Amino acid sequence: MNARAPKGTSDLLPETARAWEYLNRTAQGLFARYGYEPLYTPAFEHTEVFTRGIGEATDIVNKEMYTFQDRAGRSLTLRPEATASVVRSALEHGLVPRGSSTKLYYAGPMFRYERPQKGRMRQFWQIGLEVLGASEPSVDAEVIMLLWRYFEAVGIPTENMRLLLNSMGDDECRPAYRDKVAGFIRSEATGLCEECNRRLDTNPLRTFDCKNPGCISVMAAAPLLRDELCGPCAQHYSEVRTSLETVGIPYSEEPRLVRGLDYYTRTVFEVQADAGLGSQNAIGGGGRYDRLTEVLGGRPTPGLGWALGFERTLLAMRAAGAKIPAPPLADVYVARVDDTVAAEVFVATSNLRDEGIAAEMDHLRRSLKAQFKQADRLGARLVVVIGPEESALGEVTVRDMQSGEETRVRIEALTDAVRARLG
Ligand code: HAM
């Protein structure tokens, strides 16, 4: 038996799991201020939710999906991302009544069969949000601002990040542009890698994203969609930029930013951070997808959102020395002098916990000295000592681990005494 976690996955050990919970708590606090509600979709979906939603010509669908047949022969896929799932769920449950908009957020593991490297996993964790039903450019700016504010809130310094912005156009202007790029690429085909040549007909715009030096140098001269946007797309893009400027969100236009999912229309964006990350430096990204609902069988409903990667965000936070709160595992340790008071210790510890105080006791028959050591390891501010002598008088000793001060208190007054000392 292979007792190691599968390649590209990792256990979130307590320190990392605590960071994941902290990132979730921070998200929940911030998202509540912007009116988002949680939505949790299944970890797997019918495969066509992703093939149709994300696009047949994308790397994700072509190479990276964990697809399997269940026992009834259905084709199912572990979600490589959650946007298609959220839209599927919103359609199924009618979450976007006509004329209204809905704001949803999610968090959880995603699965992509990628070549693992620093910041690139096969199972990774995302926090994301989607707004369905709203088409105004102000909502694009709000959504982008929220991503930026989130990274600030978890302690990534502004100077370590850059926000890249682009417009992918829409069904009016993109097809002609796509043909133009395909024509351009065809004329330069000898300079391009095999992969970019192969997807010339299916997805020429992906060539903008290729890391091959030959492709990068060819694409430096490629026509840019920014210059070919139709009037309404250009107007939308301009208003998004103006709104971002009015609230002081610093962005850079990146006319070659295409992103790896086919559902995008108009605004796309990505936040990159260099410190702590290698080539996988996109800590979060997203965009608008005004056609996705129709592609999945619904009536036309605009949508947009983003997702951030937990592993990469954590790398960027660590590189910046960001603090992740690590509360002590116990505020109070209840120590037992000998076995005759075992029941009193158990009851006192339970009562403290019932009163909302983080309390711990010994379950290993440690000596009193070893119990004090354990209390120290757990970070306990107070140690409550119960011995036969105290017990006979209905009292306990409370020791302040910082000042060393000891006081006797009545057992029934323990909670109040502890609370007063913890502040
Ligand atoms: P994405 O750019 O594919 O977008 O992923 C979002 C974030 O997830 C990335 O910026 C990165 O931090 C993280 N990520 C992606 N792949 C991996 C991986 N293999 N290992 C570790 N982290 C990874 C989406 O998923 C879209 N659903 C975002 C969106 C929401 N667009 C609109 N709404």
Side-chain angles (χ1 to χ4, degrees):
M1 143 163 189
N2 187 345
R4 302 180 74 94
K7 186 175 173 185
T9 72
S10 65
D11 299 307
L12 299 191
L13 298 180
E15 194 195 340
T16 312
R18 204 158 39 202
W20 168 241
E21 292 187 349
Y22 166 67
L23 292 197
N24 275 317
R25 275 199 310 278
T26 309
Q28 285 163 14
L30 192 58
F31 295 174
R33 283 194 242 154
Y34 288 73
Y36 285 81
E37 293 185 286
L39 171 75
Y40 292 99
T41 59
F44 57 86
E45 297 275 350
H46 292 291
T47 299
E48 65 261 23
V49 170
F50 302 119
T51 47
R52 299 176 74 185
I54 298 171
E56 303 267 4
T58 58
D59 280 355
I60 295 183
V61 168
N62 270 315
K63 300 194 248 178
E64 297 170 3
M65 295 209 305
Y66 281 92
T67 297
F68 58 98
Q69 277 205 344
D70 73 4
R71 286 168 190 274
R74 299 179 194 92
S75 179
L76 300 172
T77 296
L78 295 182
R79 60 179 180 194
E81 60 109 47
T83 307
S85 309
V86 168
V87 170
R88 190 271 309 142
S89 174
L91 281 176
E92 185 174 336
H93 304 288
L95 299 184
V96 196
R98 241 174 240 282
S100 74
S101 81
T102 303
K103 292 175 162 185
L104 301 162
Y105 74 84
Y106 51 85
M110 309 291 154
F111 309 87
R112 295 183 194 174
Y113 191 80
E114 293 198 78
R115 203 162 37 78
Q117 64 181 80
K118 187 176 186 182
R120 189 163 70 192
M121 309 285 294
R122 289 181 175 172
Q123 175 176 327
F124 56 98
W125 298 71
Q126 278 188 350
I127 295 174
L129 55 81
E130 314 293 344
V131 183
L132 302 174
S135 57
E136 285 299 303
S138 53
V139 74
D140 301 48
E142 184 186 287
V143 157
I144 295 170
M145 176 179 183
L146 180 46
L147 180 61
W148 190 255
R149 290 282 183 256
Y150 180 81
F151 288 132
E152 285 177 340
V154 297
I156 304 176
T158 313
E159 59 274 18
N160 284 17
M161 305 188 277
R162 58 183 173 271
L163 168 63
L164 306 179
L165 189 67
N166 192 19
S167 174
M168 300 291 295
D170 64 6
D171 285 353
E172 274 305 305
C173 48
R174 191 162 48 191
Y177 169 72
R178 214 180 99 117
D179 290 348
K180 197 166 176 178
V181 172
F184 170 83
I185 293 177
R186 212 166 272 121
S187 69
E188 304 282 342
T190 48
L192 295 176
C193 73
E194 215 178 293
E195 172 102 34
C196 288
N197 268 303
R198 189 150 20 90
R199 63 183 169 207
L200 206 160
D201 294 320
T202 54
N203 204 348
L205 300 189
R206 295 293 311 148
T207 308
F208 279 114
D209 223 16
C210 184
K211 304 283 183 283
N212 180 296
C215 299
I216 293 174
S217 92
V218 166
M219 294 313 279
L224 298 175
L225 182 49
R226 184 181 57 184
D227 305 324
E228 321 257 342
L229 292 175
C230 60
C233 284
Q235 176 71 16
H236 186 96
Y237 187 38
S238 157
E239 288 182 31
V240 173
R241 294 194 318 265
T242 307
S243 294
L244 286 172
E245 284 154 22
T246 56
V247 285
I249 302 294
Y251 67 85
S252 319
E253 284 189 71
E254 177 40 271
R256 291 181 182 79
L257 179 70
V258 287
R259 308 235 337 113
L261 305 110
D262 271 1
Y263 48 60
Y264 291 117
T265 48
R266 296 192 164 172
T267 316
V268 288
F269 52 92
E270 204 160 272
V271 174
Q272 300 182 347
D274 290 328
L277 291 133
S279 60
Q280 302 304 313
N281 64 354
I283 53 177
R288 183 170 270 292
Y289 45 81
D290 291 342
R291 299 296 316 281
L292 180 56
T293 316
E294 283 161 85
V295 168
L296 294 178
R299 66 182 150 74
T301 308
L304 76 164
W306 53 251
L308 62 89
F310 164 67
E311 290 80 2
R312 295 184 197 175
T313 302
L314 189 59
L315 288 169
M317 287 167 68
R318 290 202 168 125
K323 283 254 173 308
I324 296 165
L329 290 172
D331 286 323
V332 185
Y333 192 91
V334 186
R336 167 185 48 79
V337 173
D338 65 26
D339 286 351
T340 62
V341 292
E344 281 97 324
V345 166
F346 184 62
V347 171
T349 311
S350 306
N351 287 344
L352 286 167
R353 289 170 175 160
D354 288 347
E355 291 296 325
I357 294 163
E360 189 52 289
M361 62 175 281
D362 171 58
H363 291 292
L364 300 179
R365 286 181 169 258
R366 292 180 174 96
S367 69
L368 190 58
K369 193 170 158 204
Q371 290 178 66
F372 267 92
K373 268 204 185 133
Q374 178 63 3
D376 213 31
R377 263 197 295 272
L378 296 176
R381 279 266 314 281
L382 303 173
V383 175
V384 174
V385 182
I386 307 184
E389 186 207 331
E390 285 104 332
S391 172
L393 295 170
E395 295 181 343
V396 297
T397 301
V398 179
R399 183 183 169 89
D400 187 313
M401 296 290 274
Q402 276 164 10
S403 65
E405 188 197 334
E406 285 192 358
T407 26
R408 281 280 183 108
V409 300
R410 300 286 312 159
I411 184 87
E412 60 276 9
L414 179 59
T415 307
D416 289 342
V418 163
R419 248 200 214 110
R421 282 166 180 74
L422 290 176

